[in-house]
Amino acid sequence: MFGNRPGFASMFRENELTLGLLFPLESYAGPVPRMNVEEQATEAILAEERGFAALWARDVPLLDPAFGDGGQLFDPWVWLTFIASRTSRIALATGSTVLPLRNPIDTAKAAASLDLLCGERLVLGAATGDRGIEFPAYGLNRDDSGELYRASVESIRRLWAEDFPELDSRYGTLRGADLLPKPRGGRIPLLVTGNSRQDLSWIAANGDGWLMYPKPVAAQRQLTTAWRDTTDDWKPFSQSLYIDLDANPGASPTPMHLGYRTGRNFLVDHIGELRDIGVNHVILNLKYGRRPAPEVLQELGEHVVPHFPAHHLAAQPASAT
């Protein structure tokens, strides 16, 4: 369905795997990164040149010290628009937009606007949210997040695809008004993040792909197999992976939070195993790295990415129609 969209096509092909990077492109202790804007933009440009398929931004409205990670600090729509102005081919993805915290009208308009301005490079990762402190700040009950998520997905899809849709949900009632702009083709690829408080059949029917957390290869194989068995047509499977890349290419892997401390040789082999079990995209997170991020990205670009290169199409010209 999305093979002619530059963002989706850059990231996904059946039986193949590409690599993405999660902002901030730096290692940092504690919850708040340095987030030097020009350094981040420079690394984003180099990531595109090195063959990474996607750059990901998180939706973190509020800093929760107990959670321990403020993400890229900037609003993801503003940040990805800025990064879009500095790049031309690499996919831009949200990892992930917290749908229950936002009126779906606002999410649909922001996503459609960015997608048109960046040449259809947007891939929308969408989640229910895992930071409990945010829900009361928005006047919401986290226990309702699964229901709100389903309602938001339905509303966003209709706002993109229909003229003057009539909507009724806990977010409000829409009559006699329309959302503009609309994405070309009336749809933007939406990846369900984790379970998002839904069962697998709902995820397979309503998601354009599945974005999961890292697991041991055998456990992840069970999920990719279930995903293939549940989806009627091929839909991509993605996951994140924290890495601390050792300067010694042959360094043995040591498990760490949601990833590994390891040399590049094991990393290539591990990502290759993930490809073989049906993972189509891996998002690398550098937060816990001990080496300077530019040095790590250079090594990844020279020795890891060539095994899993992006599938770039020429970006479409920006348009608001």
Side-chain angles (χ1 to χ4, degrees):
M1 176 181 292
F2 301 109
N4 63 345
R5 292 181 55 91
F8 187 92
S10 171
M11 296 169 65
F12 299 125
R13 283 184 189 171
E14 190 172 2
N15 300 320
E16 297 188 35
L17 181 149
T18 62
L19 296 174
L21 292 167
L22 184 70
F23 285 111
L25 307 181
E26 63 179 278
S27 60
Y28 53 103
V32 181
R34 284 192 318 115
M35 201 62 197
N36 180 284
V37 170
E38 285 306 316
E39 288 179 4
Q40 294 290 311
T42 297
E43 292 303 327
I45 294 166
L46 292 175
E48 180 174 72
E49 294 174 352
R50 291 164 180 154
F52 285 93
L55 293 166
W56 294 75
R58 280 172 285 183
D59 183 10
V60 186
L62 299 169
L63 176 63
D64 180 358
F67 199 90
D69 193 349
Q72 77 281 334
L73 306 185
F74 296 98
D75 175 89
W77 303 116
V78 176
W79 179 249
L80 288 177
T81 301
F82 169 68
I83 294 300
S85 72
R86 301 294 189 96
T87 57
S88 61
R89 297 184 302 162
I90 197 165
L92 306 173
T94 59
S96 291
T97 299
V98 184
L99 295 188
L101 299 184
R102 310 287 197 280
N103 189 301
I105 294 171
D106 297 327
T107 301
K109 190 174 186 77
S113 300
L114 173 58
D115 189 59
L116 288 165
L117 291 169
C118 75
E120 298 178 63
R121 289 189 280 150
L122 179 63
V123 172
L124 182 68
T128 49
D130 52 9
R131 306 182 187 216
I133 200 170
E134 294 172 341
F135 286 83
Y138 280 83
L140 299 171
N141 187 330
R142 190 180 180 189
D143 292 340
D144 298 332
S145 63
E147 175 192 347
L148 292 171
Y149 185 88
R150 292 190 300 274
S152 187
V153 169
E154 179 184 0
S155 294
I156 288 168
R157 289 264 175 74
R158 291 187 61 194
L159 287 161
W160 284 340
E162 300 177 21
D163 295 328
F164 294 90
E166 295 186 352
L167 301 178
D168 295 284
S169 75
R170 291 176 60 179
Y171 292 100
T173 298
L174 176 64
R175 295 289 188 277
D178 199 12
L179 178 86
L180 295 175
K182 295 186 185 294
R184 194 171 288 110
R187 193 151 177 159
I188 294 170
L190 185 151
L191 310 183
V192 176
T193 305
N195 291 320
S196 291
R197 301 197 172 194
Q198 314 303 323
D199 60 35
L200 183 57
S201 61
W202 187 95
I203 296 170
N206 292 276
D208 299 312
W210 199 8
L211 173 57
M212 280 300 295
Y213 306 99
K215 297 178 180 292
V217 171
Q220 201 73 303
R221 180 188 288 111
Q222 293 179 340
L223 286 182
T224 59
T225 299
W227 179 241
R228 304 296 176 226
D229 290 344
T230 308
T231 49
D232 293 331
D233 300 315
W234 176 78
K235 294 180 179 181
F237 185 102
S238 306
Q239 69 158 75
S240 57
L241 185 68
Y242 284 81
I243 62 166
D244 177 9
L245 192 66
D246 196 287
N248 174 9
S252 298
T254 301
M256 67 177 193
H257 177 66
L258 299 178
Y260 296 98
R261 292 188 170 94
T262 184
R264 67 174 183 252
N265 294 345
F266 170 82
L267 184 62
V268 170
D269 291 343
H270 178 65
I271 295 173
E273 282 190 280
L274 295 176
R275 176 194 58 206
D276 294 342
I277 66 168
V279 176
N280 304 112
H281 183 77
V282 172
I283 311 160
L284 300 178
N285 189 328
L286 307 181
K287 177 176 175 16
Y288 298 119
R290 294 168 293 181
R291 297 166 60 195
E295 182 180 309
V296 171
L297 291 175
Q298 180 68 28
E299 182 174 347
L300 291 172
E302 290 181 3
H303 300 287
V304 179
V305 176
H307 296 275
F308 314 102
H311 318 302
H312 286 311
L313 295 178
Q316 300 299 312
S319 170
T321 60

